[in-house]
Amino acid sequence: MIRAVLRDLASGPIAVQMRRFVVVGALTAGLQLALLWLFVDTAGLNYIVGAAIAIEITIVCSYVLNNAWTFRASRNTGASEYLAGLLKTNLVRGTAIPIQLGVLAALVEWAGVLYLIANVAAILVSGLYRFVLDAQWTWG
């Protein structure tokens, strides 16, 4: 399954979805960074707590955009199907939260990287994982 997905990234039916997923991801990553900065530097939250809250907000935003655009051919329509898809993406992305927070904490605590820059790296590390699971399960 994963080999087929990786092979189709450059060309094939999944390539367009992957490009759209990356665009949505870039937009929501920007939102996540803005929220993280707001929560940490303005509200005074710990960066891990702020990141967890920002991640959950962007999970919902990502689902809305991906359902409408990235996976529109197989989008979830109707209230129950839409909510089931939102639950699935929360489960998929929820399993990526420990990965993202772990990378974030490791870079900040052990490597001394600024928390916003570390969060960008953490988003990238967990991105392919999220795409494969969302493509195969949430909209598969």
Side-chain angles (χ1 to χ4, degrees), residues 2 11-12 15-16 18 30 46 49 51-52 54 57 67-68 73 93 115 124 127 129 132 135 140:
I2 293 175
S11 63
V16 171
M18 182 62 171
N46 173 278
V49 173
I57 291 169
N67 191 63
R93 291 166 183 266
Y115 76 93
L124 293 173
Y129 168 85
V132 169

Side-chain angles (χ1 to χ4, degrees), residues 25-26 28-34 36 51 55 100 103-105 107-108 113-127 130:
T28 55
L31 173 62
Q32 188 180 121
L33 289 171
L36 179 57
I55 290 168
Q100 187 171 339
V103 171
L104 172 63
L107 290 174
V108 170
V113 177
L114 178 68
Y115 76 93
L116 290 172
I117 295 169
N119 197 56
V120 170
I123 290 168
L124 293 173
V125 167
S126 62
R130 291 187 317 265

Side-chain angles (χ1 to χ4, degrees), residues 6-125:
L6 293 175
R7 186 176 35 251
D8 287 340
L9 289 179
S11 63
I14 204 165
V16 171
Q17 284 182 335
M18 182 62 171
R19 285 191 293 271
R20 289 178 178 177
F21 189 83
V22 168
V23 169
V24 169
L27 291 171
T28 55
L31 173 62
Q32 188 180 121
L33 289 171
L35 289 170
L36 179 57
W37 173 83
L38 183 69
F39 295 148
V40 173
D41 287 354
T42 303
L45 292 177
N46 173 278
Y47 73 95
I48 295 293
V49 173
I53 296 167
I55 290 168
E56 183 55 36
I57 291 169
T58 56
I59 285 172
V60 174
C61 292
S62 293
Y63 175 74
V64 170
L65 294 173
N66 279 319
N67 191 63
W69 186 49
T70 307
F71 299 102
R72 71 176 164 208
S74 58
R75 85 176 86 192
N76 297 316
T77 57
S80 63
E81 188 178 303
Y82 192 85
L83 291 174
L86 182 58
L87 177 63
K88 284 181 178 181
T89 202
N90 258 288
L91 290 172
V92 165
R93 291 166 183 266
T95 63
I97 290 173
I99 296 168
Q100 187 171 339
L101 293 179
V103 171
L104 172 63
L107 290 174
V108 170
E109 300 298 327
W110 296 334
V113 177
L114 178 68
Y115 76 93
L116 290 172
I117 295 169
N119 197 56
V120 170
I123 290 168
L124 293 173
V125 167

